């Protein structure tokens, strides 16, 4: 863990180093992924059976066996404990409510020139959701990817989840059922992305693919981009906690560790104007680490990428936050709304002393798929907007064309696009 | 030009071939672009001077000479003819009005559990706009890229435009001035994209880069993606015209040619239920071609990629359009609104017999940067949304946390993320 202070002489260089820190090196798997995609395009289901047997240590009997049946989904759902099902339902209801609130309105107006202009939002026909298998098969991730698609009005939601050694996570299936997933496929890796993008005899192609995955999945998404839409490629996760003196250091410490336990590349940063809190949190992190089953991971993340930055005041905290553009931002201060107003760049913010980021990971309602690695400068979290697209439209009659057409003719001619100009001029009687 | 009919026995295979037609082969310039980006990152302005001298046949005296001065911009603006300036202003005013109408509203609500949830839109700090140089330096493209950024509230809009042989297009500068561009740089190619993404001593880095360009520019955008945001990589342009019997064949023919004159890879498709109109348009295209300075380009596009599809009725026309998902769609029928309601996938639609697509290219108001190559299934035209991003936020007090926290604890434990669960449980007094 690094300790920085804005009053230190070397602060600017130390902070710049923090900003530029590369927390992850991506394996180069371009060629391997290109070969897998070519295989799936050429051999369809047969390639899927082959690749699944090879990578997932599970031999599907036939292409039909790749699809999880509704009986299997019902059985998985019935097997989970009632408390967990209630939690899943509460989370799903809240995520659905928030994403429905995002739904935008169409535009239509007729202007002084007599043209009617419009913009219409429409849902994608079909989307694919990738869910990592094994340990990292998170039901919350299923909810966060599928519910926005469903709220947007997408009719077909195909989920791909690898089942290493044939094992399916019942909670993931229960989440898929609750979220409105319409098909579940037991496939993973680059082959799953290829199948969703290009289709096979069994799996119809989709229009967009979202969801987290390993280096193969990320590279496959990059390679099918253009054929289908994709979400952004997520990097390691991060949190900035801005906390004043009036906080329980233990709360702050556990919040920092909740980020750190994701993986060794995660980053947790505390920014505080209070030196005593900084010291207390640093000590509390070490004490709290002992309670964590994932202490090895969280400890390494904190040691390698963690930071505590002492600032003169909260204005300075906001300014540094804008340079960090963090994925998650906790504002544990007396007046969090005033501080939020100073923040321009953050994926998601959590206001108050009783709003740890984990609330947002599961049950608050906003999406937990968020821009990482300073991309909150220009990118946003997953939302209904990822599953909608716009068509603009214009309606003109002869009078409207007479009002604006001559300008189009002038510009078309100036750009040397004669047919453009002529298509307007002919209708103006020219 | 191909002629298809939905009543023909081979229609399905012929239409599938049309859908799968690759109209463009992209040159592989990955390695060359990677070298240019590395050069700009390592040597900054010096690399820009060097690469500009090499590729643009113009030797800037110093890094300062790369920036177009406000005096030069004023002089260019003063030199253009008043009719053209009026046309540019009319276009800019209309584009601005439509994009301002797109501006979305923030969300904020407190729900039954006592949590306050919000979503706030904010503008990007800085964007880069790439404008191709030479013949293809289109002032309309400057307006269409810069005005949405300005309407979104972007403070800094840096434009890069190569000036082959040192020549600047005055109309492009006048458009930049009117559109609110804040800096103009005489640089192009992959080096311009690299400079905008990474910054040099002279050019501050931006957060997102938009605008069309050649294979080098497109590949450079791909390679800097993640460091900055980019717009989609545009493919060759296309139009679908749906026309009934009551149209002047010459109008339809010129509309098809307006698309075809862009380049040899462009595609123009007429869909009509009227065989007589189909024949008349086919003849009119050949007749109209003779009037065009760009007849060679338009003729080749029409010959290689043009199509006339005879359908039984307009319902069938709408169904085929949804499979084509065209960039541009003209609805030259008696009731275009009813037909538009049947269309799910199109970048931009033009309704009525007096609304050729060229109106939308210049003066209607909606953007002319649109999804090509069937990507309208999932992508949208350029808009203020490309220059905005969202921050979601949640505010909770102890009572609100008590309402939703236990579900978060249950889910965090089920996912094996103990610190997540503990960050909530501690505050619940657990």
């Amino acid at each position: 863990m690094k300790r920085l202070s804005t009053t230190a002489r070397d602060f600017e260089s130390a902070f710049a180093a923090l900003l530029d820190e590369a927390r992850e090196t991506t394996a180069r798997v371009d060629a391997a992924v290109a070969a897998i995609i070519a295989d799936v395009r050429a051999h369809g289901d047969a390639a899927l059976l082959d690749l699944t047997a090879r990578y997932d240590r599970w031999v599907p009997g036939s292409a039909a066996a790749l699809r999880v049946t509704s009986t299997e989904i019902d059985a998985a759902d019935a097997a989970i404990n009632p408390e967990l099902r209630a939690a899943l339902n509460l989370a799903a209801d809240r995520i659905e409510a928030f994403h429905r609130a995002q739904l935008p309105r169409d535009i239509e107006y007729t202007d002084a020139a007599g043209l009617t202009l419009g913009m219409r939002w429409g849902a994608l026909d079909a989307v694919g959701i990738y869910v990592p298998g094994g340990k990292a098969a998170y039901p919350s991730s299923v909810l966060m990817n599928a519910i926005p698609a469903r709220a947007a009005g997408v009719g077909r939601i195909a989920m791909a989840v690898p089942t290493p050694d044939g094992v399916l996570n019942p909670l993931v299936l229960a989440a898929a059922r609750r979220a409105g997933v319409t098909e579940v496929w037991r496939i993973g890796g680059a082959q799953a992305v290829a199948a969703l993008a290009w289709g096979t005899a069994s799996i119809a192609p989709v229009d967009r693919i979202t969801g987290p995955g390993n280096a193969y999945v990320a590279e496959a998404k990059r390679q099918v981009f253009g054929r289908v839409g994709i979400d952004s490629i997520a990097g390691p996760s991060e949190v900035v906690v801005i906390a004043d003196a009036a906080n329980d250091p233990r709360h702050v410490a556990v919040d920092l560790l909740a980020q750190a336990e994701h993986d060794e590349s995660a980053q947790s940063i505390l920014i505080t104007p209070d030196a005593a809190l900084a010291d207390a949190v640093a000590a509390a992190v070490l004490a709290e680490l002992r309670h964590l089953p994932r202490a090895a991971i969280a400890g390494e993340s904190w040691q390698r990428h963690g930071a505590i930055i002492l600032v003169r005041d909260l204005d300075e905290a906001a300014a540094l936050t804008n340079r960090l553009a963090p994925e998650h931002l906790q504002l544990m201060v007396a007046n969090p709304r005033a501080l939020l107003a100073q923040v321009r760049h953050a994926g998601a913010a959590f206001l108050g002393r009783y709003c740890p980021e984990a609330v947002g990971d599961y049950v608050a309602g906003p999406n937990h798929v968020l821009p990482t690695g300073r991309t909150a400068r220009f990118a946003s979290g997953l939302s209904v907007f990822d599953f909608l697209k716009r068509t603009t439209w214009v309606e003109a009659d002869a009078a409207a064309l007479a009002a604006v057409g001559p300008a189009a003719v002038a510009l078309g001619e100036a750009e040397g696009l004669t047919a453009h100009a002529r298509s307007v001029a002919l209708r103006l009687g020219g």
Side-chain angles (χ1 to χ4, degrees), chain A:
Chain A
M1 185 264 293
K2 297 165 201 73
R3 290 191 69 154
L4 284 71
S5 167
T6 54
T7 58
R9 192 174 290 180
D10 69 344
F11 175 76
E12 193 48 46
S13 65
F15 188 73
L18 197 68
L19 283 179
D20 284 343
E21 194 176 292
R23 285 182 277 138
E24 203 178 44
T25 50
T26 313
R28 289 298 297 265
V29 293
D30 317 23
V33 166
I36 290 170
I37 293 175
D39 191 11
V40 173
R41 286 186 63 182
H43 304 110
D45 287 334
L48 286 184
L49 293 176
D50 196 42
L51 291 160
T52 298
R54 197 181 322 162
Y55 291 113
D56 295 345
R57 304 173 304 279
W58 169 67
V59 182
S62 67
L66 292 175
R67 183 158 180 177
V68 181
T69 65
S70 56
T71 313
E72 287 176 288
I73 297 173
D74 291 347
D77 189 45
I80 68 171
N81 89 47
E83 188 210 2
L84 217 44
R85 186 182 299 106
L88 208 57
N89 282 336
L90 180 135
D93 289 347
R94 296 185 57 85
I95 295 164
E96 193 168 338
F98 187 78
H99 287 81
R100 285 197 186 280
Q102 291 176 337
L103 287 169
R105 288 175 314 169
D106 292 349
I107 298 173
E108 178 178 337
Y109 65 90
T110 302
D111 64 20
L115 286 90
T116 301
L117 306 178
M119 183 173 81
R120 197 185 65 178
W121 294 88
L124 276 56
D125 286 344
V127 304
I129 289 178
Y130 189 88
V131 177
K135 286 183 301 177
Y138 292 145
S140 61
S141 176
V142 175
L143 300 182
M144 291 292 183
N145 279 275
I147 290 176
R150 170 124 134 178
V154 174
R156 181 174 161 245
I157 304 176
M159 182 171 115
V161 55
T163 55
D165 302 308
V167 178
L168 264 164
N169 180 338
L171 259 183
V172 163
L173 291 184
R177 190 191 209 210
R178 174 58 189 83
V181 168
T182 52
E183 302 160 20
V184 180
W185 299 93
R186 307 169 69 138
I187 51 175
Q191 59 272 26
V193 174
L196 290 169
W198 289 96
T200 69
S202 300
I203 306 177
V206 302
D207 299 307
R208 189 181 172 97
I209 301 172
T210 69
N214 63 17
Y216 285 81
V217 171
E219 176 59 25
K221 282 163 68 181
R222 248 189 271 270
Q223 291 190 18
V224 300
F225 174 63
R227 169 77 189 184
V228 297
I230 61 168
D231 58 352
S232 59
I233 309 290
S237 194
E238 73 255 350
V239 71
V240 166
V241 178
I242 302 180
D244 61 20
N247 283 287
D248 182 334
R250 212 156 57 120
H251 291 183
V252 178
V254 178
D255 295 351
L256 295 169
L257 288 172
Q259 194 60 44
E261 76 175 337
H262 274 295
D263 69 83
E264 296 85 348
S265 307
Q267 181 167 55
S268 305
I269 298 176
L270 167 65
I271 305 182
T272 180
D274 190 79
L277 183 86
D279 292 340
V281 169
V285 165
L286 300 181
E288 286 294 330
L289 258 176
R290 285 184 223 118
H291 298 287
L292 297 184
R294 295 169 71 89
I297 294 169
E300 191 174 338
S301 158
W302 179 245
Q303 194 190 331
R304 284 168 51 189
H305 305 297
I308 296 180
I309 306 177
L310 198 63
V311 289
R312 291 181 185 83
D313 52 36
L314 294 180
D315 292 346
E316 214 171 51
L320 295 182
T321 298
N322 283 327
R323 292 174 68 187
L324 288 161
E327 181 189 13
H328 303 105
L329 175 65
Q330 287 187 207
L331 303 178
M332 299 174 68
V333 297
N335 188 348
R337 295 253 188 149
L339 190 52
L340 182 64
Q342 291 182 264
V343 173
R344 291 195 314 283
H345 308 304
F350 303 89
L351 280 64
R353 308 189 198 284
Y354 287 88
C355 200
E357 185 258 313
V359 167
D361 278 339
Y362 295 115
V363 295
N367 214 284
H368 77 196
V369 180
L370 294 163
T372 58
R374 304 191 57 224
T375 60
R377 291 175 293 122
F378 57 82
S380 308
L382 202 69
S383 71
V384 296
F385 295 97
D386 290 280
F387 302 103
L388 296 169
K389 73 265 186 352
R390 291 168 265 108
T391 299
T392 55
W393 56 272
V394 185
E395 190 171 38
D397 58 15
L401 189 67
V404 302
V409 174
L411 290 166
E413 281 170 358
E415 292 189 352
L417 296 175
T418 316
H420 281 64
R422 194 166 159 79
S423 72
V424 177
L426 266 184
R427 287 168 167 95
L428 294 175

